[in-house]
Amino acid sequence: MADLIHFLKLKLINMKTKLQSLVIPLLLAGIFFTSCKKDSPAKISADKEMVQKVSSWLDAQKVTTQPNKSRNIDLLKDNLELENASYKPSNAGEQILIIPAREDLKTAKGIDQKSAVYLLLILNSQKNISKGNVVIYKPAGGSSSDIPANSFHNIFNGLSPGCSGLFKFLSVTGRSIYQLEYSNKKLSSTGIVKHKPKSGTTVNGTSVVNSIQCYDYYLTLTFWLDDVPVDQV
């Protein structure tokens, strides 16, 4: 009988040890999932006020005399993944609102399917939109989904985005503004899009500009090595 009691005690000890080995990982998993939940994308689709701010700001960028650009804004609005938006801190109490765009936008505008498209909006301390850009990220290798969560925050603060590839910044109407390229996660080139008026007809040997302004756009590139500009074209 004493041997049986001793055997049962050993079984209870073993069961207690096994339960502890199961409970601890489950508790840790609960902590992990709770902490992950805090970092999940902001559901601004449920924030009617912010959704309205985004829509109103985009509408305010339209120019009635440029219907093609207005259509680009409407296309952008129709293809925003508001349910996957996220907020990132910036400077002086500002925030960066990052809203991915759907695949349909890339198809409609002929953008490389390996690229990712985002609407980036800068919010002031009152959470009003002060400015915004469309960003096209084309990875140097791998998938565009591999972009680190803090990439845009780092770029705006002069740091490495933590990935390699080309970031093209456009206006919300689709006009190219500038680009940043990173190799081995370091800045390798910067580009600024400049423009000059196209010359119109010639009167008495003098070139004049048409009353409707048209522009030639060109990209100037600066190449960088270890954060130092080394060449420009």
Side-chain angles (χ1 to χ4, degrees), residues 151-162:
S151 289
F152 293 116
H153 169 268
N154 290 346
I155 287 174
F156 289 153
N157 288 280
L159 304 173
S160 168

Side-chain angles (χ1 to χ4, degrees), residues 57 72 76 109 111 116-120 132-137 167-179 193:
W57 185 85
N72 283 342
L76 177 63
K109 301 304 295 183
I111 299 171
V117 182
Y118 302 90
L119 173 63
L120 262 60
N133 291 100
V134 170
V135 181
I136 301 174
Y137 167 60
F167 292 83
K168 298 181 71 174
F169 289 76
L170 297 80
S171 70
V172 293
T173 61
R175 177 175 61 85
S176 294
I177 302 174
Y178 65 94
Q179 66 182 45
V193 177

Side-chain angles (χ1 to χ4, degrees), residues 103-201:
E103 296 294 315
D104 289 348
L105 179 65
K106 294 192 290 185
T107 301
K109 301 304 295 183
I111 299 171
D112 186 349
Q113 292 298 313
K114 293 181 180 178
S115 300
V117 182
Y118 302 90
L119 173 63
L120 262 60
L121 299 171
I122 304 300
L123 310 180
N124 61 24
S125 56
Q126 287 76 43
K127 298 193 77 171
N128 293 320
I129 301 169
S130 59
K131 53 188 174 182
N133 291 100
V134 170
V135 181
I136 301 174
Y137 167 60
K138 184 176 182 179
S143 170
S144 58
S145 62
D146 296 333
I147 181 172
N150 290 323
S151 289
F152 293 116
H153 169 268
N154 290 346
I155 287 174
F156 289 153
N157 288 280
L159 304 173
S160 168
C163 58
S164 298
L166 180 65
F167 292 83
K168 298 181 71 174
F169 289 76
L170 297 80
S171 70
V172 293
T173 61
R175 177 175 61 85
S176 294
I177 302 174
Y178 65 94
Q179 66 182 45
L180 304 170
E181 187 167 17
Y182 296 84
S183 300
N184 297 319
K185 301 181 181 180
K186 291 184 178 181
L187 184 65
S188 58
S189 74
T190 57
I192 299 177
V193 177
K194 298 182 178 180
H195 65 270
K196 59 182 179 181
K198 288 183 178 180
S199 58
T201 57

Side-chain angles (χ1 to χ4, degrees), residues 9-27:
K9 285 182 177 179
L10 289 176
K11 292 290 286 182
L12 287 171
I13 292 171
N14 287 337
M15 287 178 66
K16 183 179 180 182
T17 303
K18 287 182 179 180
L19 283 172
Q20 287 176 337
S21 65
L22 288 172
V23 169
I24 292 173
L26 286 172
L27 288 173

Side-chain angles (χ1 to χ4, degrees), residues 12-61:
L12 287 171
I13 292 171
N14 287 337
M15 287 178 66
K16 183 179 180 182
T17 303
K18 287 182 179 180
L19 283 172
Q20 287 176 337
S21 65
L22 288 172
V23 169
I24 292 173
L26 286 172
L27 288 173
L28 291 175
I31 295 170
F32 173 79
F33 284 119
T34 301
S35 63
C36 284
K37 188 175 181 180
K38 292 179 182 177
D39 294 331
S40 62
K43 302 296 184 182
I44 74 162
S45 54
D47 184 347
K48 293 182 180 179
E49 183 180 1
M50 182 54 68
V51 170
Q52 184 58 48
K53 285 182 179 181
V54 172
S55 179
S56 297
W57 185 85
L58 287 171
D59 285 338
Q61 311 312 306

Side-chain angles (χ1 to χ4, degrees), residues 209-222:
V209 177
N210 294 326
S211 58
I212 299 177
Q213 295 291 320
C214 297
Y215 295 93
D216 284 319
Y217 291 89
Y218 60 98
L219 179 69
T220 61
L221 287 174
T222 301

Side-chain angles (χ1 to χ4, degrees), residues 82-100:
L82 296 172
E83 67 276 10
N84 291 320
S86 59
Y87 293 95
K88 297 297 176 185
S90 187
N91 293 325
E94 292 182 331
Q95 286 183 304
I96 307 170
L97 176 56
I98 305 169
I99 310 176

